[in-house]
Amino acid sequence: MPLLAPFETSFGRATTRRILIVRAFDRSGACGYGECTAMEGPFFNHETIDTAWMIIEKFIAPLLSEGRAVEASQISRILAPIRENRMAKGGVETAAWDLEARLAGIPLWRHLGGTQPVINCGVSIGLQESIEALLEKVARELSSGYQRIKIKIKPGSDVQLVQSVRSRFPSITLSVDANSAYSLDHDLDLLRQLDQYDLLMIEQPLAAGDLLDHARLQRALRTPICLDESIVSFTNAAHALELGACRIINIKLGRVGGHAEARAIQEFARSRGVPVWCGGMLESGIGRAHNIAMSTLAGFTLPGDVSASARYWAEDIVQPPITVSKDGTIDAPSSDGIGYEPDEARIEALTVRRAEIRL
Ligand code: OSB
Ligand code: MG
């Protein structure tokens, strides 16, 4: 699917998305949808759309067949022998959750135990050609009603961007996301400068595996650190909080391997008084609908990177497309499952590769 505009981060630039959609069937032929959120290359994390395809075919399907899952909530445990590859697992696990909710005749968000029928939305704005272009984008998203603006930063495009956005928009809720582009050894002074701009958070400044340096950095900053790439499981989220490596957590369904793990992390964070929010991976409407469902859980108290289909796609693959209200919210859907109907004809027209696995 071609993106309406390129999306640039410290790790690269996306102009189109190759998206792996999973359909999970039961014996009656009923079907649930999931989206694998791995990117095209191993630059956000180690997974790619092609490694996920291979892991699903060769390892996830046989394990599921053996494990005889009867509930979506068991899938993550059945797949635990497969190390990592969480986005591959998440694509399948989330499809099973949708199937289960459809069979039960209830919206997925209710099936997950969501309690917030209206979710709060922010946007993530990629690196732009110029500061003027960035300011224009920020202005446009604010006028659409989005409640929080996040801008991408990288070495050489950081303090000046933040300074410009902040002086033009003194009172907006603003955060930055570095996608692991900095190191504590080289960049402590620079990261300290960000403290003066009243940011809601600094997202993933350092390397994904480096909870210890994030904890050191958090002690040196007033601004909360939010971890994205670092948080891959419940255990490791607990470690991050125990170490003081962050004060906010970005939960991405794919990165943590699906709804069961995501739900456990938000529940734990909530018990510790740590806010969480839903991150995005430039999803199609299917992954986006799953993100909306997850965002209704009680721990999701900050606006997520869950925004309208029209920011990404000329035409989404679900009906209706996802829209955001003038006050920057999305109402959780009232129909069964993910609550947005996948457009089979459009998916068919975009499909370049397919595999059917019988368990
Ligand atoms: O770090 O949150 C991130 C997109 C791709 C990979 C990583 C990230 C992002 C975004 C965009 O920030 C979120 C979205 O709008 O889907
Ligand atoms: Mg991020």
Side-chain angles (χ1 to χ4, degrees), residues 270-288:
R270 191 161 106 97
S271 76
R272 299 296 168 103
V274 171
V276 311
W277 55 280
C278 174
M281 293 293 290
L282 311 175
E283 288 92 344
S284 81
I286 292 174
R288 201 165 293 281

Side-chain angles (χ1 to χ4, degrees), residues 7 9 11 17 35 37 39 44 87 122-124 148 150 152 177 179 203 228 250-255 277-284 287-288 291 294-295 304-307 312:
F7 189 82
T9 67
F11 65 81
R17 299 279 349 269
E35 173 168 342
T37 63
M39 310 228 87
F44 170 76
M87 289 175 165
V123 288
S124 173
R148 180 270 285 143
K150 152 175 146 185
K152 294 290 189 178
D177 186 0
N179 289 108
E203 185 176 339
D228 173 351
N250 165 333
I251 300 183
K252 286 181 178 164
L253 263 178
R255 165 161 49 63
W277 55 280
C278 174
M281 293 293 290
L282 311 175
E283 288 92 344
S284 81
R288 201 165 293 281
N291 286 344
M294 177 177 77
S295 301
D305 283 344
V306 186
S307 54
Y312 306 83

Side-chain angles (χ1 to χ4, degrees), residues 232-273:
V232 298
S233 68
F234 174 84
T235 303
N236 134 292
H239 291 171
L241 296 189
E242 188 174 328
L243 274 168
C246 64
R247 294 187 194 141
I248 298 175
I249 293 177
N250 165 333
I251 300 183
K252 286 181 178 164
L253 263 178
R255 165 161 49 63
V256 304
H259 281 299
E261 196 82 2
R263 189 166 66 179
I265 295 170
Q266 65 85 38
E267 194 176 312
F268 179 74
R270 191 161 106 97
S271 76
R272 299 296 168 103

Side-chain angles (χ1 to χ4, degrees), residues 47 59 67 73 114 154 159 166 173 192 214 218 223 242 288 304 333 340 352:
E47 293 188 78
F59 301 103
S73 63
K154 67 173 183 182
V159 177
R166 188 43 103 200
T173 306
R192 270 206 180 110
H214 276 109
Q218 182 66 91
T223 311
E242 188 174 328
R288 201 165 293 281
Y340 294 83
V352 293

